[in-house]
Amino acid sequence: MSLRGVAEIDSDLHILEQRLKVHVETGMASVLDIAQNISQCCREDENLKKTARQMMVDFVEMEKEIQHQVTALGQIRQMTGDLPDLTRCLDESLSELQTHNSIDPRGHTKFKEMEAKLNIDDSTIDEEQFESLRATLLGSTEDDDVALTQTEVNTKCPYSGRTMEHPVKNTLCGHVYDRDPILEHIKARKGRAKCPVGGCPNPGPMDAKKLVEFKDLKKYIEYLKKKGNTASSSSNR
């Protein structure tokens, strides 16, 4: 093989190992972030989970293809004698590698990590973590122990009067409501809906765009539900 051919292959190897590897690693990290968000915000959405899984599968397969390319180029570089058709040699090497090195993307470390994030169970939260979350929601401090024992976190929607399922906070006034009922209220009032909390300091109409998900309160409510279901199951035994 000519020195020029060797130099070209070395250049290809460098490009594949540096640029493409970084691209794949960045993509996998992004999918893991997406999986974390799905778990926290919309774990019941199976379509989103399916999309995340397919994205990770694509990146795993891309990673394997890059490895095949690098290996095949390395094999050609080691060949001796005249190689008039480098493209054909490369294709043959790639075909052999792909035939004998097939993998199940779902067995990849990153795919397993993503699955763990998608299927995280908040019931694993311990009492100390629960009390810390409760204190955060109450706005208590370490010197506020008495108030903490006498005050409960409000989980009822001020509009519907029911326990919230998807709590959202109004960034204009700080009040919290259940997402679906309050959005129906805003839609029904056609831009004239006011905050249903008595004495609200915000005199203006509510804006759906100013409602943000209250993740900590949602986690707190879900924990209480699971804790209640566990207690109920135990008492029925």
Side-chain angles (χ1 to χ4, degrees), residues 154-167 176-185 195-197:
N154 182 18
T155 61
K156 301 288 185 180
C157 173
Y159 177 70
S160 69
R162 298 189 296 269
T163 298
M164 292 178 277
E165 295 184 3
H166 303 285
V176 181
Y177 333 93
D178 199 8
R179 182 190 63 196
D180 293 343
I182 203 65
L183 287 179
E184 291 178 3
H185 173 55
C195 176
V197 177

Short mmCIF file of all heavy atoms in Angstrom, two decimals, residues 154-167 176-185 195-197:
data_model
loop_
_atom_site.label_atom_id
_atom_site.label_comp_id
_atom_site.label_asym_id
_atom_site.label_seq_id
_atom_site.Cartn_x
_atom_site.Cartn_y
_atom_site.Cartn_z
N ASN A 154 -50.72 21.49 51.50
CA ASN A 154 -52.03 21.52 50.85
C ASN A 154 -51.94 20.81 49.50
O ASN A 154 -51.22 21.26 48.61
CB ASN A 154 -52.49 22.97 50.67
CG ASN A 154 -53.88 23.02 50.04
OD1 ASN A 154 -54.62 22.04 50.06
ND2 ASN A 154 -54.23 24.18 49.49
N THR A 155 -52.68 19.73 49.35
CA THR A 155 -52.67 18.99 48.09
C THR A 155 -54.00 19.13 47.35
O THR A 155 -54.21 18.48 46.32
CB THR A 155 -52.40 17.50 48.35
OG1 THR A 155 -53.43 16.97 49.19
CG2 THR A 155 -51.05 17.30 49.02
N LYS A 156 -54.90 19.98 47.86
CA LYS A 156 -56.20 20.19 47.23
C LYS A 156 -56.15 21.36 46.25
O LYS A 156 -55.56 22.41 46.54
CB LYS A 156 -57.27 20.46 48.28
CG LYS A 156 -57.46 19.35 49.31
CD LYS A 156 -58.13 18.14 48.70
CE LYS A 156 -58.43 17.10 49.78
NZ LYS A 156 -59.09 15.89 49.22
N CYS A 157 -56.77 21.19 45.11
CA CYS A 157 -56.86 22.28 44.15
C CYS A 157 -57.88 23.31 44.64
O CYS A 157 -59.02 22.95 44.97
CB CYS A 157 -57.30 21.73 42.78
SG CYS A 157 -57.63 23.02 41.55
N PRO A 158 -57.54 24.59 44.69
CA PRO A 158 -58.47 25.60 45.18
C PRO A 158 -59.66 25.83 44.24
O PRO A 158 -60.65 26.42 44.65
CB PRO A 158 -57.60 26.87 45.26
CG PRO A 158 -56.52 26.64 44.26
CD PRO A 158 -56.23 25.17 44.31
N TYR A 159 -59.55 25.34 43.02
CA TYR A 159 -60.66 25.51 42.06
C TYR A 159 -61.59 24.30 42.07
O TYR A 159 -62.80 24.45 42.21
CB TYR A 159 -60.12 25.73 40.66
CG TYR A 159 -61.21 25.84 39.62
CD1 TYR A 159 -62.05 26.95 39.57
CD2 TYR A 159 -61.41 24.82 38.69
CE1 TYR A 159 -63.07 27.04 38.64
CE2 TYR A 159 -62.43 24.90 37.75
CZ TYR A 159 -63.25 26.01 37.72
OH TYR A 159 -64.26 26.10 36.79
N SER A 160 -61.02 23.09 41.96
CA SER A 160 -61.85 21.88 41.88
C SER A 160 -62.18 21.31 43.26
O SER A 160 -63.17 20.60 43.42
CB SER A 160 -61.14 20.81 41.04
OG SER A 160 -60.00 20.31 41.73
N GLY A 161 -61.33 21.60 44.25
CA GLY A 161 -61.53 21.06 45.59
C GLY A 161 -61.07 19.62 45.73
O GLY A 161 -61.22 19.02 46.79
N ARG A 162 -60.49 19.06 44.66
CA ARG A 162 -60.02 17.68 44.70
C ARG A 162 -58.49 17.63 44.81
O ARG A 162 -57.81 18.61 44.50
CB ARG A 162 -60.46 16.93 43.44
CG ARG A 162 -61.98 16.85 43.28
CD ARG A 162 -62.34 15.92 42.14
NE ARG A 162 -61.88 16.42 40.86
CZ ARG A 162 -62.59 17.20 40.05
NH1 ARG A 162 -63.80 17.60 40.40
NH2 ARG A 162 -62.09 17.61 38.90
N THR A 163 -57.99 16.47 45.25
CA THR A 163 -56.54 16.29 45.32
C THR A 163 -55.95 16.44 43.92
O THR A 163 -56.45 15.85 42.95
CB THR A 163 -56.18 14.90 45.87
OG1 THR A 163 -56.69 14.78 47.19
CG2 THR A 163 -54.67 14.70 45.89
N MET A 164 -54.92 17.23 43.82
CA MET A 164 -54.33 17.50 42.51
C MET A 164 -53.60 16.29 41.94
O MET A 164 -52.99 15.52 42.67
CB MET A 164 -53.36 18.69 42.62
CG MET A 164 -54.05 20.01 42.89
SD MET A 164 -52.91 21.41 43.07
CE MET A 164 -52.44 21.23 44.80
N GLU A 165 -53.67 16.14 40.64
CA GLU A 165 -52.94 15.09 39.94
C GLU A 165 -51.73 15.65 39.20
O GLU A 165 -50.68 15.02 39.14
CB GLU A 165 -53.87 14.37 38.95
CG GLU A 165 -55.00 13.61 39.62
CD GLU A 165 -55.84 12.83 38.63
OE1 GLU A 165 -55.49 12.85 37.43
OE2 GLU A 165 -56.82 12.20 39.04
N HIS A 166 -51.92 16.83 38.63
CA HIS A 166 -50.83 17.49 37.91
C HIS A 166 -50.73 18.95 38.38
O HIS A 166 -51.19 19.86 37.68
CB HIS A 166 -51.08 17.45 36.39
CG HIS A 166 -51.24 16.07 35.84
ND1 HIS A 166 -50.18 15.22 35.67
CD2 HIS A 166 -52.35 15.39 35.45
CE1 HIS A 166 -50.61 14.07 35.18
NE2 HIS A 166 -51.93 14.14 35.04
N PRO A 167 -50.17 19.16 39.56
CA PRO A 167 -50.11 20.53 40.10
C PRO A 167 -49.27 21.47 39.26
O PRO A 167 -48.20 21.11 38.78
CB PRO A 167 -49.49 20.32 41.49
CG PRO A 167 -48.75 19.03 41.40
CD PRO A 167 -49.53 18.17 40.46
N VAL A 176 -51.22 27.59 43.48
CA VAL A 176 -51.09 26.29 42.82
C VAL A 176 -52.47 25.68 42.58
O VAL A 176 -53.37 25.77 43.42
CB VAL A 176 -50.25 25.32 43.70
CG1 VAL A 176 -50.09 23.97 43.00
CG2 VAL A 176 -48.89 25.93 44.00
N TYR A 177 -52.63 25.07 41.40
CA TYR A 177 -53.91 24.45 41.02
C TYR A 177 -53.64 23.12 40.32
O TYR A 177 -52.51 22.82 39.93
CB TYR A 177 -54.71 25.34 40.07
CG TYR A 177 -54.45 26.82 40.16
CD1 TYR A 177 -53.49 27.43 39.35
CD2 TYR A 177 -55.14 27.63 41.07
CE1 TYR A 177 -53.24 28.78 39.43
CE2 TYR A 177 -54.89 28.99 41.16
CZ TYR A 177 -53.93 29.57 40.33
OH TYR A 177 -53.68 30.91 40.41
N ASP A 178 -54.72 22.35 40.14
CA ASP A 178 -54.62 21.15 39.32
C ASP A 178 -54.70 21.58 37.86
O ASP A 178 -55.59 22.36 37.48
CB ASP A 178 -55.76 20.19 39.67
CG ASP A 178 -55.46 18.77 39.22
OD1 ASP A 178 -54.32 18.50 38.78
OD2 ASP A 178 -56.36 17.91 39.32
N ARG A 179 -53.79 21.08 37.06
CA ARG A 179 -53.64 21.57 35.68
C ARG A 179 -54.92 21.51 34.84
O ARG A 179 -55.35 22.54 34.27
CB ARG A 179 -52.55 20.76 34.98
CG ARG A 179 -52.25 21.21 33.54
CD ARG A 179 -51.34 20.21 32.88
NE ARG A 179 -52.00 18.91 32.77
CZ ARG A 179 -51.35 17.77 32.51
NH1 ARG A 179 -50.04 17.78 32.37
NH2 ARG A 179 -52.01 16.63 32.42
N ASP A 180 -55.52 20.34 34.74
CA ASP A 180 -56.65 20.19 33.81
C ASP A 180 -57.86 21.02 34.21
O ASP A 180 -58.43 21.72 33.36
CB ASP A 180 -57.02 18.71 33.68
CG ASP A 180 -55.91 17.90 33.01
OD1 ASP A 180 -55.04 18.52 32.36
OD2 ASP A 180 -55.91 16.66 33.13
N PRO A 181 -58.29 21.00 35.48
CA PRO A 181 -59.44 21.83 35.86
C PRO A 181 -59.20 23.33 35.66
O PRO A 181 -60.09 24.04 35.19
CB PRO A 181 -59.65 21.50 37.34
CG PRO A 181 -59.07 20.14 37.51
CD PRO A 181 -57.88 20.12 36.60
N ILE A 182 -58.00 23.80 35.99
CA ILE A 182 -57.76 25.24 35.88
C ILE A 182 -57.68 25.67 34.42
O ILE A 182 -58.08 26.78 34.05
CB ILE A 182 -56.48 25.66 36.66
CG1 ILE A 182 -56.54 27.16 37.01
CG2 ILE A 182 -55.22 25.35 35.87
CD1 ILE A 182 -57.65 27.53 37.96
N LEU A 183 -57.16 24.79 33.56
CA LEU A 183 -57.11 25.12 32.13
C LEU A 183 -58.51 25.18 31.55
O LEU A 183 -58.80 26.02 30.68
CB LEU A 183 -56.26 24.09 31.38
CG LEU A 183 -54.75 24.18 31.59
CD1 LEU A 183 -54.03 23.08 30.81
CD2 LEU A 183 -54.20 25.55 31.18
N GLU A 184 -59.39 24.29 32.01
CA GLU A 184 -60.79 24.33 31.57
C GLU A 184 -61.45 25.63 32.03
O GLU A 184 -62.24 26.24 31.29
CB GLU A 184 -61.55 23.13 32.13
CG GLU A 184 -61.12 21.80 31.53
CD GLU A 184 -61.85 20.63 32.15
OE1 GLU A 184 -62.73 20.87 33.02
OE2 GLU A 184 -61.54 19.48 31.80
N HIS A 185 -61.11 26.07 33.24
CA HIS A 185 -61.64 27.32 33.78
C HIS A 185 -61.19 28.52 32.94
O HIS A 185 -62.00 29.37 32.58
CB HIS A 185 -61.17 27.48 35.22
CG HIS A 185 -61.49 28.79 35.84
ND1 HIS A 185 -62.77 29.31 35.91
CD2 HIS A 185 -60.68 29.73 36.44
CE1 HIS A 185 -62.76 30.48 36.51
NE2 HIS A 185 -61.50 30.76 36.85
N CYS A 195 -57.75 34.28 39.33
CA CYS A 195 -57.27 33.26 40.25
C CYS A 195 -58.37 32.94 41.26
O CYS A 195 -58.95 33.86 41.85
CB CYS A 195 -56.02 33.76 40.99
SG CYS A 195 -55.40 32.62 42.25
N PRO A 196 -58.70 31.66 41.45
CA PRO A 196 -59.80 31.28 42.34
C PRO A 196 -59.47 31.38 43.82
O PRO A 196 -60.36 31.16 44.66
CB PRO A 196 -60.07 29.83 41.95
CG PRO A 196 -58.75 29.32 41.47
CD PRO A 196 -58.12 30.49 40.76
N VAL A 197 -58.25 31.72 44.16
CA VAL A 197 -57.87 31.83 45.56
C VAL A 197 -58.30 33.19 46.11
O VAL A 197 -57.95 34.23 45.55
CB VAL A 197 -56.34 31.66 45.75
CG1 VAL A 197 -55.96 31.85 47.22
CG2 VAL A 197 -55.92 30.28 45.27
#
